[in-house]
């Protein structure tokens, strides 16, 4: 049954236009007589009908659509911008009016005018002040407890706000949560036991704003603007375990609203969850040994990889297959025939060499697309997809062991990797299949995506001019093969009427169907290591950052955290170095990072997590700098001039492919 649409009540007469109001404010400022302005605010905030009368573009129109709230946004902004500069008695009058409106007894469902009133009140800048938080909390609770259909309207109205006003709403809510968690003056607020609903209500309203933000392309604000860094300082594992135990039931946990948890905090949750799984598996191994009266060996606590450099891929695949039960233990790598303990450097070198070999074009597993600077899965059919599983395991081990990989997959890959985020129990269920669009294709094959977009907008006769059918062709090992996009596709012409279906099926074929077996092996490999409910907290973009690091460079942060061996940070060569590097354009800064660490991206914890070291290289100053990428170490000769250092550094970092690794 459809919910009956309630008739909107007859509204009071609209008191003033925006022009009238602004003139009244200017007169009050010059004369000091605020009575007219006071009366306006007193009337307008007295009730929900008065708010609608003041701000509705047309008081007689119903505006019952999600597309148009019917509110004069410029007038709302002008009234609120002026409010903070009015005398205190006017500001108190507004708050009293809001209290009276919120305390009014409600009977039956809300009307669209009620929703408009909530929408207007939520934008009140007075709620930045902690003294108004009790009123703000009640407003948030009333909005949070509205029915889903009403939330649907609010979400669509939120997405029409200007970026500035939308960001203010988000920041105000984040601040409200932070100050309730860690109040500067605890006596300002009621005891936490009396207002346990404050944070859940604010989180629910934030969720509406987050949904609105995700509906807009591009989003109004970056998804990272919803992060609440205050949550980095609470017991995240308690939040996670509460969520694990109670799900999305009545027991509140911030994990129900993962968009507010920063990537750094999510990494902590995933790592702790991983560590607990590691410890549990290692403990079980120990118990099994003791119960069989065998002597415990420390090696049983690790995933020990013994590989030959000459057979790197096959040895790694054999070891990981044989030791599948140990994947969640701490990784240690030994290169056969070489002395040396793995203190982290050998593990990183193993990742670097393996990734470099697997992603080499001659290896045939991945195709590199120069237009988009990314790799994509080769659609060539083969008998065994175990090497794709190996790449998935590598990515999982990297997340598990906090290694940043130099992999260039498009965002679509990470969306597929979370489809679904938890491996289904039913093995016949498809995995790695997600809805894809021309935007996804554009991130891999921009030229083809452009061609398909042109087909969609073509104004002529598609059937006669393009002469295409629902069939596509692919070259495999020099042989052209054809594939039908739907049954009998080779007999179905593409027309103006069915071209949307053709484009959608073509994109789905390229990004889902043609590489299904390859990607499924990759998916199962990744999840065999990272099987954790914590993955449900992540956006695809966040999985990419966990695997590959962040592209945001802060070289000043790197300077602050750098360690020195043989140099002091006040030495002339070091001062020259930082003068040069901080003056580099972004592309050269990225090359320096790639030269010294094997990746031009930054770990989730920031530059400090790189443990970057500059060592003195007691060689001729005619030599170029050398990097030990496995230890994030730059060996720098003591150059005598800034010009010489800059010249040698640029040559070194610009020609490092094939020899930066030691």
């Amino acid at each position: 049954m459809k919910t009956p649409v309630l008739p909107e009540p007859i509204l009071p007469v609209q008191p003033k236009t925006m022009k009238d109001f602004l003139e009244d404010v200017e007169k009050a400022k010059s004369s000091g007589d605020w009575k007219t302005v006071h009366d306006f605010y007193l009337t307008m905030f007295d009730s929900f009908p008065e708010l609608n009368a003041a701000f509705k573009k047309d008081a007689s129109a119903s505006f019952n659509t999600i597309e148009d709230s019917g509110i004069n946004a410029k007038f709302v902004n002008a009234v609120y911008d002026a409010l903070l500069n009015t005398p205190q008695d006017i500001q108190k009058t507004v708050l009293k009016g809001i209290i009276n409106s919120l305390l009014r007894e409600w009977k039956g469902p809300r009307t669209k005018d009620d929703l408009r009133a909530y929408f207007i009140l939520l934008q009140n800048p007075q709620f930045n002040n902690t003294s108004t938080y009790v009123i703000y909390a009640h407003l948030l609770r009333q909005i949070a407890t509205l029915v889903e259909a009403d939330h649907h309207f609010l979400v669509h109205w939120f997405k029409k706000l200007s970026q500035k006003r939308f960001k203010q709403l988000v920041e105000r809510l984040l601040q409200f949560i932070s100050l309730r968690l860690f109040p500067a003056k605890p006596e300002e607020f009621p005891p936490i036991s009396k207002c346990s609903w404050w944070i859940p209500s604010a989180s629910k309203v934030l969720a509406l704003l987050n949904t609105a933000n995700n509906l807009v392309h591009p989003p109004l604000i970056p998804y990272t603007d919803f992060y609440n860094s205050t949550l980095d300082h609470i017991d995240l594992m308690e939040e996670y375990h509460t969520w694990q135990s109670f799900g999305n039931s009545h027991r509140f946990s911030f994990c129900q609203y993962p968009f507010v948890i920063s990537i750094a905090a999510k990494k902590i949750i995933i790592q702790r969850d991983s560590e607990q799984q590691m410890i549990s598996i290692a403990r079980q191994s120990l118990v099994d040994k003791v119960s069989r009266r065998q002597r415990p060996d420390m090696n049983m606590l690790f995933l020990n990889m013994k590989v030959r450099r000459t057979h790197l891929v096959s040895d790694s695949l054999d070891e990981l297959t044989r030791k599948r039960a140990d994947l969640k233990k701490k990784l240690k790598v030994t290169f056969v025939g070489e002395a040396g303990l793995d203190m982290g450097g050998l593990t990183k070198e193993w990742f670097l060499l393996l990734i470099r070999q697997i992603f080499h074009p001659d290896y045939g597993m991945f195709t590199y697309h120069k237009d988009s600077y990314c790799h994509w899965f080769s659609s060539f059919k083969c008998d065994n997809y175990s090497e794709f599983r190996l790449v998935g395991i590598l990515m999982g081990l990297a997340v598990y062991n906090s290694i940043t990989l130099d992999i260039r997959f498009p965002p679509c890959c990470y969306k597929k990797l979370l489809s679904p985020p938890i491996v289904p129990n039913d093995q016949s269920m498809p995995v790695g299949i997600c809805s894809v669009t021309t935007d996804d294709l554009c991130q891999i094959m921009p030229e083809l995506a452009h061609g398909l977009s042109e087909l969609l907008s073509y104004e002529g006769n598609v059937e006669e001019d393009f002469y295409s059918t629902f069939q596509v062709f692919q070259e495999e090992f020099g042989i052209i093969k054809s594939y039908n996009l739907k049954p009998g596709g080779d007999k179905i012409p593409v027309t103006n009427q069915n071209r949307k279906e053709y484009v959608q099926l073509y994109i789905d074929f390229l990004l889902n169907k043609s590489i299904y077996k390859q990607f499924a092996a990759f998916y199962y490999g990744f999840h065999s290591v990272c099987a954790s409910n914590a993955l449900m907290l992540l956006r695809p973009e966040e999985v990419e950052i966990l695997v590959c690091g962040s592209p945001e460079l802060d070289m000043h942060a790197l300077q602050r955290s750098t360690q020195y061996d043989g140099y002091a940070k006040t030495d002339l060569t070091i001062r020259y170095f930082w003068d040069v590097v901080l003056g580099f354009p972004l592309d050269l800064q990225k090359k320096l990072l790639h030269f010294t660490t094997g990746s031009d991206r930054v770990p989730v914890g920031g530059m400090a997590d790189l443990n970057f070291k500059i060592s003195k290289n007691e060689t001729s100053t005619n030599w170029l700098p050398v990097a030990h990428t496995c230890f994030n170490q730059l060996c720098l000769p003591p150059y005598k001039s800034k010009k010489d250092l800059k010249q040698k550094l640029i040559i070194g970092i610009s020609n490092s492919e094939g020899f930066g690794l030691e």
Side-chain angles (χ1 to χ4, degrees):
M1 280 181 63
K2 285 189 177 178
T3 309
V5 177
L6 296 175
E8 300 290 340
I10 297 167
L11 297 179
V13 178
Q14 188 167 359
K16 281 185 192 297
T17 64
M18 183 165 126
K19 187 173 173 234
D20 295 336
F21 168 73
L22 291 173
E23 284 175 359
D24 288 345
V25 170
E26 286 307 311
K27 283 178 191 169
K29 281 181 183 174
S30 56
S31 68
D33 180 6
W34 289 87
K35 186 177 183 312
T36 308
V37 176
H38 181 277
D39 291 347
F40 171 75
Y41 277 109
L42 176 67
T43 305
M44 182 174 51
F45 283 93
D46 181 57
S47 67
F48 281 13
E50 289 287 359
L51 276 171
N52 277 274
F55 292 122
K56 228 172 163 181
K57 285 185 271 194
D58 180 352
S60 61
S62 58
F63 292 108
N64 278 339
T65 71
I66 59 171
E67 296 309 320
D68 186 2
S69 66
I71 292 167
N72 184 339
K74 285 184 179 176
F75 195 9
V76 172
N77 295 340
V79 166
Y80 278 143
D81 290 345
L83 177 59
L84 295 182
N85 297 312
T86 61
Q88 281 299 308
D89 62 322
I90 293 180
Q91 297 188 38
K92 285 177 182 174
T93 296
V94 169
L95 291 171
K96 279 180 190 170
I98 295 173
I99 291 168
N100 291 333
S101 298
L102 296 177
L103 288 176
R104 193 161 284 116
E105 189 180 342
W106 292 100
K107 290 178 182 175
R110 305 287 197 267
T111 66
K112 296 299 171 287
D113 278 347
D114 296 334
L115 298 188
R116 266 183 281 277
Y118 284 132
F119 182 65
I120 294 164
L121 292 178
L122 198 60
Q123 298 176 57
N124 186 343
Q126 289 178 293
F127 295 134
N128 284 328
N129 194 319
T130 52
S131 64
T132 66
Y133 273 13
V134 172
I135 306 168
Y136 189 34
H138 281 277
L139 171 63
L140 295 175
R141 178 153 73 171
Q142 289 196 13
I143 295 172
T145 54
L146 291 169
V147 297
E148 192 177 330
D150 291 340
H151 283 161
H152 182 66
F153 271 84
L154 286 175
V155 162
H156 284 272
W157 292 350
F158 285 143
K159 75 177 188 182
K160 297 289 175 64
L161 286 169
S162 70
Q163 183 191 42
K164 177 187 170 186
R165 304 290 169 175
F166 187 88
K167 191 175 171 69
Q168 285 172 349
L169 282 185
V170 172
E171 287 175 346
R172 194 174 297 138
L173 282 158
L174 291 174
Q175 178 185 283
F176 174 81
I177 290 171
S178 298
L179 290 174
R180 177 60 276 190
L181 281 172
F182 299 105
K185 298 176 183 172
E187 67 277 3
E188 269 192 306
F189 304 138
I192 196 80
S193 57
K194 295 278 179 67
C195 57
S196 58
W197 50 270
W198 280 27
I199 288 175
S201 298
S203 300
K204 178 66 181 175
V205 177
L206 260 178
L208 301 178
L209 288 162
N210 181 57
T211 303
N213 196 50
N214 291 333
L215 287 175
V216 185
H217 299 287
L220 284 165
I221 59 176
Y223 70 88
T224 51
D225 282 1
F226 281 89
Y227 286 168
N228 190 336
S229 56
T230 308
L231 303 185
D232 297 359
H233 306 287
I234 66 172
D235 188 341
L236 292 164
M237 290 316 289
E238 186 184 339
E239 294 290 320
Y240 179 63
H241 291 138
T242 299
W243 177 62
Q244 289 278 80
S245 304
F246 297 95
N248 291 327
S249 65
H250 297 300
R251 183 83 176 265
F252 175 78
S253 163
F254 281 109
C255 292
Q256 295 165 344
Y257 303 96
F259 57 87
V260 298
I261 304 174
S262 71
I263 181 67
K266 284 172 185 164
K267 185 184 180 187
I268 290 168
I269 292 173
I270 289 168
Q271 281 188 323
R272 297 254 177 91
D273 193 41
S274 301
E275 284 164 9
Q276 284 168 7
Q277 290 183 42
M278 280 183 189
I279 291 165
S280 175
I281 289 167
R283 186 185 290 131
Q284 190 57 50
S285 298
L286 195 61
V287 169
D288 291 346
K289 279 264 186 187
V290 171
S291 65
R292 291 199 298 267
R293 303 188 177 211
Q294 294 173 332
R295 189 175 176 181
D297 175 5
M298 282 305 292
N299 281 326
M300 67 192 291
L301 302 177
F302 298 95
L303 167 58
N304 292 291
M305 300 286 297
K306 289 185 180 177
V307 294
R308 295 167 293 174
R309 287 184 185 271
T310 50
H311 298 76
L312 195 63
V313 176
S314 58
D315 281 5
S316 299
L317 192 55
D318 290 345
E319 284 279 87
L320 291 169
T321 304
R322 209 160 44 82
K323 297 174 179 176
R324 194 174 293 179
D326 295 341
L327 291 178
K328 294 192 176 181
K329 294 179 183 176
K330 189 74 178 167
L331 178 62
K332 279 203 170 184
V333 175
T334 306
F335 288 101
V336 175
E338 298 178 23
L341 287 170
D342 184 9
M343 305 303 287
L346 293 178
T347 294
K348 188 172 177 191
E349 185 180 4
W350 176 70
F351 274 113
L352 285 167
L353 292 171
L354 206 48
I355 291 295
R356 194 173 291 179
Q357 194 165 327
I358 286 170
F359 282 84
H360 195 282
D362 293 346
Y363 209 72
M365 286 176 66
F366 297 94
T367 305
Y368 184 68
H369 294 271
K370 289 180 181 176
D371 292 349
S372 53
Y373 305 106
C374 73
H375 289 95
W376 191 241
F377 294 76
S378 167
S379 59
F380 295 169
K381 305 293 178 283
C382 59
D383 298 328
N384 189 348
Y385 295 96
S386 58
E387 289 182 350
F388 287 99
R389 187 181 180 93
L390 170 63
V391 181
I393 291 172
L394 276 178
M395 275 180 54
L397 287 173
V399 171
Y400 226 60
N401 291 272
S402 298
I403 301 283
T404 301
L405 296 183
D406 188 28
I407 292 178
R408 290 290 180 273
F409 279 135
C412 170
C413 173
Y414 300 98
K415 191 161 70 167
K416 286 166 69 66
L417 205 53
L418 293 178
S419 301
I422 304 298
V423 177
N425 292 325
D426 182 356
Q427 290 292 304
S428 65
M429 287 273 290
V431 295
I433 298 285
C434 66
S435 59
V436 284
T437 65
T438 47
D439 288 341
D440 294 310
L441 184 64
C442 190
Q443 290 162 348
I444 308 166
M445 309 168 199
E447 275 193 27
L448 178 56
H450 179 69
L452 292 175
S453 296
E454 288 202 326
L455 171 66
L456 290 173
S457 59
Y458 187 67
E459 293 181 358
N461 188 312
V462 169
E463 184 177 359
E464 290 179 4
D465 297 347
F466 284 84
Y467 202 67
S468 294
T469 62
F470 276 69
Q471 185 181 50
V472 292
F473 301 91
Q474 282 192 335
E475 185 183 332
E476 293 180 18
F477 303 110
I479 300 167
I480 302 294
K481 292 195 172 183
S482 63
Y483 297 92
N484 285 347
L485 296 178
K486 60 193 290 191
D490 56 325
K491 306 275 194 313
I492 304 171
V494 179
T495 65
N496 292 59
Q497 287 71 38
N498 66 18
R499 58 185 167 181
K500 274 189 184 175
E501 183 192 9
Y502 168 78
V503 167
Q504 189 53 50
L505 288 174
Y506 192 6
I507 295 170
D508 186 57
F509 172 79
L510 289 171
L511 304 188
N512 283 325
K513 292 199 170 85
S514 68
I515 58 158
Y516 179 76
K517 288 183 178 176
Q518 294 88 325
F519 199 92
F522 172 74
Y523 172 94
Y524 282 119
F526 179 79
H527 287 273
S528 67
V529 186
C530 282
S532 166
N533 286 339
L535 286 179
M536 295 169 73
L537 304 175
L538 297 174
R539 294 173 61 101
E541 301 95 321
E542 292 173 324
V543 179
E544 180 179 11
I545 290 170
L546 282 176
V547 173
C548 307
S550 166
E552 303 295 324
L553 302 193
D554 182 351
M555 300 311 274
H556 288 282
L558 183 65
Q559 182 185 16
R560 286 192 297 272
S561 61
T562 296
Q563 302 159 35
Y564 300 97
D565 179 18
Y567 283 118
K569 65 180 177 183
T570 52
D571 287 351
L572 201 56
T573 304
I574 297 301
R575 296 203 326 252
Y576 288 156
F577 174 81
W578 288 114
D579 281 350
V580 166
V581 169
L582 295 174
F584 272 167
L586 182 60
D587 65 318
L588 281 180
Q589 289 179 344
K590 286 191 168 190
K591 282 182 178 178
L592 170 67
L593 207 60
H594 195 280
F595 176 69
T596 51
T597 70
S599 171
D600 63 4
R601 294 165 76 104
V602 185
V604 169
M607 289 293 198
D609 274 15
L610 281 174
N611 296 317
F612 184 65
K613 181 187 277 189
I614 300 177
S615 298
K616 193 169 191 175
N617 197 355
E618 299 284 7
T619 56
S620 166
T621 52
N622 292 325
W623 284 39
L624 296 175
V626 175
H628 298 287
T629 48
C630 300
F631 298 100
N632 298 341
Q633 184 177 17
L634 178 68
C635 299
L636 201 63
Y639 299 114
K640 299 294 183 232
S641 71
K642 190 194 292 188
K643 182 181 177 185
D644 192 26
L645 184 147
K646 183 176 182 178
Q647 184 185 23
K648 296 283 198 305
L649 188 60
I650 290 175
I651 293 170
I653 65 177
S654 301
N655 299 278
S656 63
E657 197 61 45
F659 67 86
L661 182 72
E662 286 199 358

